[in-house]
Amino acid sequence: MNLLGLFRPPPMDPLLQVVSGVPIFRDCNRAELEALKLHLHERNFLAGEIVFDEGEDGEGMYVVIRGKLRANRKGILTKKSLGVIQAGESFGEMALLGAGPRMATVVAEEDTTVLAMFRPELVALAQARPRLGYKIAMGVALVLESRLRRFADGQSTEPSAT
Amino acid sequence: MKPGLSGERSLEHPIIWIAVIAGALGSILLLKAVAWLAFPLILAVVLYYLVQPLLQRLQLAGVTPGQALGIFLGAATILTLIFSLTILPSMLNSLADFQNQIPTYWDRLQGVLRDNLLALESRFSFAKKAGLANSLQEQLNLFLAGSGKEYIADVALFLLHWLPSLLLVPFLTFFFLRDGTAFHRLVLRAVPNAFFEKTLLLFDRMDNQMRAYFRGMFGLTMLDTVSLGLGLWFLGHGPGIFGFWDAMFLGLICAIFAWVPYIGSGLGGILAVATVAVKAPSSSGLMVAVVLLFLGVRLLDEFIYTPMTVGRALRMHPLITVMMIFSGGMLGGVYGLLLAMPLLGIFTVLGQMFAEIWFDPRLRARYQARGLLEKRLASKDLGI
């Protein structure tokens, strides 16, 4: 019997493993991710179901656990696809910064599982754990910075996906 | 897409307003029916909102939520032990003394009332014709001989009935503090995807409303207690009517009475004047000073304390407030009086959010679309 195994922490929740790979939460340690877990809401969407609409007030962000979604934005005449959101990616981060309108409509392309994080809950968590709050705020800032850079470099036609 | 109606405008719909009032009054009836559980539950919710900021401060200092709860429970147990060993015995002694003095106080109160009515009779002929002093004496004697005894027995039974259920309060508070977030998530799992974000917002608004109300009421009660207590002590310590802690205790009782808007402050004032009348029956000037003190604190309440603590979030039209309080009192007695306004506040938020969700055609369309997708998925291999 391997006695040292008793002192090893139990394996991480698979959902948290996905969350830990998302750029916004990459710097969070295990204790912080466990605290975050209490505020994650798992939602299942069927293929063709809308997660949120463009122009709707945004209240939180999502992390894709399984499946695939598409972000669309209304053009002057036709709908414009902004791209596909895959498992392990996040969307709707702008809503963490304020209750502004959503910048795109996100539709599930196949049966999809996401983890939703609600802004007021994350704000309360950040107030209780300022270090975690700082990491999340920096994470959001870095994601937005990379999107702006891609837009400036001409690799993307929109400064922000959602 | 924007919701069909904004939060404020949605409440203009008369059906929503009727539903909000009916919901608040209906829940008063429901709470009265299960009062043995509702009473400790409400106290536990109040304690939860009062204790939560302490736990958050502990978490800010770097401890985990579980450790914060443990530290709080430890501190609460130690404080309860200290209270039981030091202050509680002297409080029980004072209570026993007070119980022995009740007949004397009752006689004095009757004397003060009788003297004042006799003075009224000597000045006005209509009062003399009505025989106010004698009829009051008869009514009080009848009350003491008949329903008074029953009433006192009812109150004693009521208190005995409540004591065991009060033991539930710390138990419930502990689980609210420990598992509140998990329970919140469990409830949200039942919400359809289309309404999920709006429902989260509803929970958040309700939580904020209740937190602001209970914390505000606690702050307001403390401010009222200190103002009234200091005022009563200042007026009464010279003639030897009130000691410092007596005045503070009476201030606290009057501040609790003031939880019932409009009516409560008046009842508190009557209680304080009656106390002065019993303790110093000849000092009518002091009674007038106590009335002025209550009026002064009422003004402070209105213009300084309430905006500082509870704010104006739960402010309704005075007519609706009074109607709700009387209806609540009629339906639910003391509970109804105390709970009418907080329940109306909660149902107002619920009504606003329901209207926002229900009158938003896009959200309903998304909900129906999900139903169609499920149906299509379920009948895929049936060739329909």
Side-chain angles (χ1 to χ4, degrees):
Chain A
M1 188 183 161
N2 183 7
L3 283 174
L4 280 176
L6 292 173
F7 296 100
R8 238 178 254 141
M12 195 192 257
D13 186 320
L15 291 182
L16 284 188
Q17 278 179 4
V18 179
V19 174
S20 68
V22 174
I24 290 176
F25 305 108
R26 205 165 276 162
D27 287 339
C28 297
N29 60 36
R30 182 155 179 185
E32 288 165 341
L33 288 170
E34 293 284 349
L36 198 64
K37 190 182 156 188
L38 287 171
H39 302 281
L40 300 175
H41 305 277
E42 194 179 328
R43 310 295 305 178
N44 293 303
F45 289 88
L46 295 174
E49 193 177 356
I50 290 173
V51 178
F52 55 69
D53 276 306
E54 182 183 339
E56 180 183 315
D57 286 337
E59 304 296 343
M61 65 163 283
Y62 297 82
V63 171
V64 186
I65 298 297
R66 175 182 73 87
K68 198 164 70 175
L69 304 105
R70 182 169 290 279
N72 298 314
R73 193 164 160 78
K74 279 179 203 150
I76 297 168
L77 291 173
T78 51
K79 180 165 82 167
K80 191 165 65 173
S81 172
L82 297 180
V84 173
I85 307 159
Q86 306 274 5
E89 291 180 341
S90 61
F91 61 98
E93 301 91 348
M94 293 281 278
L96 291 188
L97 302 175
R102 296 285 192 191
M103 300 183 76
T105 297
V106 174
V107 189
E109 282 215 321
E110 52 190 60
D111 291 358
T112 302
T113 303
V114 296
L115 288 176
M117 294 172 209
F118 187 46
R119 185 182 59 251
E121 287 177 353
L122 279 182
V123 169
L125 184 69
Q127 279 169 351
R129 290 169 169 264
R131 189 189 289 262
L132 174 60
Y134 169 76
K135 286 179 183 177
I136 293 173
M138 278 304 287
V140 173
L142 286 171
V143 164
L144 296 180
E145 186 242 24
S146 84
R147 282 185 192 158
L148 280 172
R149 276 189 191 283
R150 273 193 309 179
F151 174 65
D153 293 345
Q155 292 170 23
S156 163
T157 52
E158 291 280 337
S160 169
T162 49
Chain B
M1 106 150 232
K2 288 273 168 213
L5 291 159
S6 72
E8 287 70 25
R9 282 190 60 204
S10 62
L11 269 187
E12 286 171 8
H13 206 294
I15 293 172
I16 297 292
W17 252 119
I18 292 166
V20 163
I21 292 173
L25 293 177
S27 44
I28 288 173
L29 273 179
L30 189 73
L31 288 175
K32 194 191 170 192
V34 287
W36 61 273
L37 182 64
F39 185 59
L41 198 70
I42 290 162
L43 276 181
V45 169
V46 175
L47 267 178
Y48 165 78
Y49 281 114
L50 293 181
V51 168
Q52 217 190 18
L54 290 175
L55 298 189
Q56 274 174 353
R57 277 177 188 243
L58 282 171
Q59 286 174 37
L60 266 176
V63 301
T64 65
Q67 287 167 339
L69 187 57
I71 292 168
F72 171 75
L73 283 177
T77 311
I78 291 168
L79 284 175
T80 309
L81 277 174
I82 292 172
F83 174 78
S84 309
L85 293 172
T86 55
I87 303 169
L88 190 65
S90 67
M91 273 180 76
L92 289 174
N93 281 336
S94 302
L95 206 64
D97 286 346
F98 176 73
Q99 198 184 356
N100 295 333
Q101 294 286 323
I102 286 175
T104 321
Y105 288 157
W106 180 247
D107 288 343
R108 280 192 200 168
L109 188 62
Q110 280 190 75
V112 170
L113 284 172
R114 194 178 163 74
D115 290 349
N116 280 299
L117 287 174
L118 283 172
L120 204 68
E121 280 181 15
S122 67
R123 193 167 295 178
F124 302 103
S125 58
F126 73 88
K128 195 171 185 177
K129 276 181 195 160
L132 288 178
N134 285 333
S135 62
L136 176 84
Q137 192 68 51
E138 277 170 25
Q139 288 298 322
L140 286 174
N141 288 339
L142 274 172
F143 174 75
L144 273 183
S147 57
K149 276 181 192 165
E150 281 171 27
Y151 183 70
I152 290 163
D154 280 352
V155 170
L157 272 174
F158 176 81
L159 289 175
L160 272 176
H161 179 69
W162 282 116
L163 277 175
S165 74
L166 283 180
L167 294 174
L168 276 173
V169 176
F171 183 74
L172 291 172
T173 312
F174 170 76
F175 283 107
F176 284 166
L177 288 167
R178 204 190 69 166
D179 302 326
T181 314
F183 181 69
H184 179 235
R185 281 174 67 208
L186 192 74
V187 172
L188 280 168
R189 286 179 87 159
V191 177
N193 284 338
F195 307 130
F196 174 65
E197 285 202 10
K198 287 276 183 199
T199 312
L200 273 171
L201 198 64
L202 160 76
F203 271 103
D204 190 56
R205 275 196 207 167
M206 261 175 62
D207 193 43
N208 285 338
Q209 185 114 354
M210 283 170 77
R211 182 181 297 126
Y213 182 76
F214 289 130
R215 285 187 196 168
M217 284 306 280
F218 181 74
L220 186 63
T221 307
M222 291 299 110
L223 284 170
D224 275 354
T225 302
V226 171
S227 306
L228 289 170
L230 285 177
L232 288 169
W233 176 72
F234 178 75
L235 292 172
H237 82 284
I241 299 172
F242 296 121
F244 181 76
W245 292 113
D246 296 333
M248 283 294 169
F249 184 64
L250 186 59
L252 175 66
I253 292 174
C254 296
I256 290 172
F257 271 40
W259 287 352
V260 182
Y262 300 113
I263 308 155
S265 306
L267 287 175
I270 291 169
L271 177 72
V273 172
T275 311
V276 172
V278 160
K279 292 248 185 183
S282 55
S283 53
S284 54
L286 193 61
M287 288 182 222
V288 174
V290 169
V291 171
L292 290 176
L293 170 72
F294 268 80
L295 288 175
V297 173
R298 184 81 204 96
L299 287 173
L300 278 175
D301 249 8
E302 189 67 24
F303 295 108
I304 300 172
Y305 295 165
T306 306
M308 263 170 60
T309 53
V310 183
R312 298 192 179 264
L314 278 187
R315 282 294 171 101
M316 305 278 167
H317 192 281
L319 181 68
I320 292 174
T321 308
V322 171
M323 291 300 284
M324 273 304 290
I325 291 164
F326 278 104
S327 314
M330 258 176 11
L331 292 173
V334 179
Y335 294 109
L337 283 174
L338 290 175
L339 294 177
M341 290 317 290
L343 283 173
L344 185 65
I346 290 168
F347 274 87
T348 304
V349 177
L350 276 173
Q352 275 179 352
M353 288 305 296
F354 175 77
E356 265 183 49
I357 292 170
W358 196 246
F359 294 129
D360 188 329
R362 179 66 180 174
L363 291 185
R364 280 168 71 184
R366 270 165 52 182
Y367 173 65
Q368 281 158 3
R370 160 85 190 206
L372 288 173
L373 286 171
E374 278 175 357
K375 206 170 167 184
R376 199 181 299 160
L377 199 67
S379 57
K380 205 160 79 176
D381 58 341
L382 299 177
I384 304 171

